Amino acid sequence: MKNKKNLKGFTLVELIVVMAVFGIIMAGALQFLNPVSKMMKGSSLQESNSATVDNIKRYLEGTLRYASSVYVHNGDLKKYDGGNPVILGGTEENKQLEAVKNFVDDYFKDKADSNNDPIKGEVHLMKIDNDNGGRITESLFNFEAGYTYYDWNGVDAWDSPSTGVSASVSMTSFDKPVINDVYFKDYSIFTTLGYNTVNPVHAGDISALPARVRDDQYFGRINPVLIDDGSGNMVPYTFSENMFSFSFVTYRNDKDGAGNSLYHHIIDDEHVFGSPYASSNATLALVNIKSGFCDGYNTSLNNRPIRRNGNGKTPTDMVDDFTGGTPPAYVPDGKWDYEPLPTPPKSFTTYDPGNLAGGNNIYIIYTLPD
């Protein structure tokens, strides 16, 4: 008689061991499924600064590099009232709408497309929200530019150009996050315009330092980098389309029981950062600002089609009253007549570059070529 072989299964211990091994493998796999979280978790301050700033820099450069016009509001959205910068009021949506409308009126008013119709397009608004840990968001707007025209006085002459038609602007998206929020989980980023450094100072050298942080020995204070202006004078590095630079300070998110930051303080209108902190800089290239899209490089942008209203004409009719000959006479040539814009538009503008009106955030309003 043949002996039957004994069939054996897994013991309970063996099953537990196998399950434990699979658990370890799955835990490791989950870490690889979210590489950003793995990279940021437990990282040092300098590593976090490098990773976050690298992502911000790549986004800024990829987004703004080919912009055809850029307006930067330093320290919140602002307008000029009698030459003095004033922070816009109202809700965030209304402030953005007003700022974009001002931008369109400033840059696109009286410009025309190939058919001499008012220009239509999109405007982007980027917000660097220092009040919210340095997060970056984008809003998008559709617009139709305004235009001016001459009114007929009803008798025998054309008046000076009237106010005309203002731009129309509508918001299609609002404050959409563009940088992964995981980068701001443990640390915040404070962004400033220009090329700046963070110089260490002792607590005793800072007036009105909050009592809750006096046990920290050293702090950092933002200072502009000085460069030679070509005449031997050392002046602050100027933020412009040629030196489109940003400085970043990374600091811990820790707060006290009242919700006040333990590592970021505003003292005597200066931003001071408690140790540990890390700083870095980024300079971007704007390739389209000095191109055929901007004033001074395309003279057609410095002229507007002449529009008239009254005496049988409307602003949408072609004005073809070219004056020529001797003595001057109206010689229609089948084309729109043009005149120089009173103030040629600028493709790059910084509102309140010295941040005289205050505020912590930075807004960048820009357009991209078609």
Side-chain angles (χ1 to χ4, degrees):
M1 175 181 281
K2 295 182 179 179
N3 293 329
K4 293 182 179 180
K5 294 184 179 179
N6 293 328
L7 300 178
K8 296 178 64 178
F10 289 110
T11 66
L12 180 60
V13 173
E14 289 172 330
L15 287 174
I16 292 175
V17 170
V18 170
M19 291 176 64
V21 170
F22 272 109
I24 294 172
I25 293 173
M26 288 298 297
L30 289 174
Q31 289 296 313
F32 284 103
L33 290 176
N34 192 350
V36 174
S37 293
K38 181 183 178 184
M39 177 182 64
M40 300 301 294
K41 184 178 180 180
S43 63
S44 70
L45 187 64
Q46 189 61 49
E47 289 172 340
S48 175
N49 175 267
S50 298
T52 306
V53 170
D54 183 61
N55 276 274
I56 291 175
K57 179 182 177 181
R58 282 188 295 177
Y59 178 77
L60 292 176
E61 189 161 34
T63 303
L64 301 174
R65 179 177 178 82
Y66 298 104
S68 53
S69 55
V70 176
Y71 280 30
V72 180
H73 289 248
N74 187 23
D76 295 334
L77 290 167
K78 299 174 181 178
K79 64 179 179 179
Y80 284 108
D81 185 2
N84 298 315
V86 178
I87 296 177
L88 295 176
T91 65
E92 181 68 16
E93 292 94 328
N94 289 338
K95 288 191 293 184
Q96 291 191 16
L97 278 167
E98 183 177 352
V100 169
K101 185 176 182 298
N102 290 340
F103 164 80
V104 173
D105 276 334
D106 190 23
Y107 186 67
F108 289 105
K109 188 172 185 178
D110 286 323
K111 290 184 179 181
D113 63 18
S114 58
N115 296 318
N116 282 302
D117 293 324
I119 291 180
K120 299 179 181 179
E122 291 183 339
V123 172
H124 303 257
L125 185 149
M126 181 189 302
K127 177 182 180 181
I128 303 177
D129 195 350
N130 286 323
D131 287 333
N132 189 29
R135 289 166 173 82
I136 300 180
T137 58
E138 285 250 5
S139 300
L140 183 64
F141 304 80
N142 287 328
F143 76 90
E144 179 174 324
Y147 53 88
T148 59
Y149 51 81
Y150 293 88
D151 274 323
W152 181 252
N153 67 6
V155 183
D156 58 2
W158 297 100
D159 294 331
S160 298
S162 66
T163 302
V165 178
S166 296
S168 61
V169 176
S170 61
M171 180 183 290
T172 59
S173 65
F174 173 67
D175 277 0
K176 181 180 178 180
V178 294
I179 302 292
N180 195 323
D181 202 58
V182 71
Y183 286 102
F184 306 95
K185 182 177 181 297
D186 297 317
Y187 303 105
S188 293
I189 300 285
F190 190 85
T191 305
T192 52
L193 299 183
Y195 203 90
N196 304 301
T197 60
V198 181
N199 296 339
V201 292
H202 191 272
D205 298 326
I206 305 176
S207 62
L209 188 65
R212 66 181 183 276
V213 294
R214 277 200 171 275
D215 54 337
D216 286 342
Q217 289 297 307
Y218 287 94
F219 297 82
R221 175 183 288 151
I222 295 177
N223 285 291
V225 172
L226 300 181
I227 60 174
D228 193 326
D229 65 356
S231 302
N233 299 318
M234 302 303 291
V235 297
Y237 187 99
T238 304
F239 178 81
S240 67
E241 68 269 35
N242 295 317
M243 294 187 285
F244 195 65
S245 299
F246 297 87
S247 298
F248 310 94
V249 180
T250 304
Y251 60 96
R252 292 189 59 86
N253 283 337
D254 305 60
K255 293 179 172 56
D256 64 10
N260 299 308
S261 174
L262 292 174
Y263 292 92
H264 177 211
H265 320 286
I266 303 175
I267 301 171
D268 297 332
D269 295 326
E270 285 190 308
H271 293 274
V272 178
F273 302 90
S275 179
Y277 58 83
S279 63
S280 56
N281 306 89
T283 300
L284 314 180
L286 302 179
V287 300
N288 273 340
I289 289 299
K290 292 198 169 179
S291 68
F293 295 101
C294 75
D295 57 292
Y297 294 82
N298 186 341
T299 56
S300 66
L301 297 185
N302 295 333
N303 298 282
R304 64 183 177 189
I306 298 174
R307 302 177 184 273
R308 293 174 178 166
N309 188 45
N311 197 32
K313 296 182 182 298
T314 69
T316 58
D317 294 332
M318 179 184 290
V319 175
D320 185 13
D321 292 337
F322 178 77
T323 302
T326 304
Y330 290 111
V331 182
D333 61 0
K335 299 178 181 179
W336 276 83
D337 290 344
Y338 292 84
E339 64 183 355
L341 286 169
T343 305
K346 294 183 178 180
S347 57
F348 188 94
T349 296
T350 304
Y351 275 75
D352 195 13
N355 199 14
L356 300 177
N360 296 321
N361 300 325
I362 298 172
Y363 293 82
I364 303 173
I365 303 174
Y366 66 97
T367 56
L368 296 171
D370 294 332

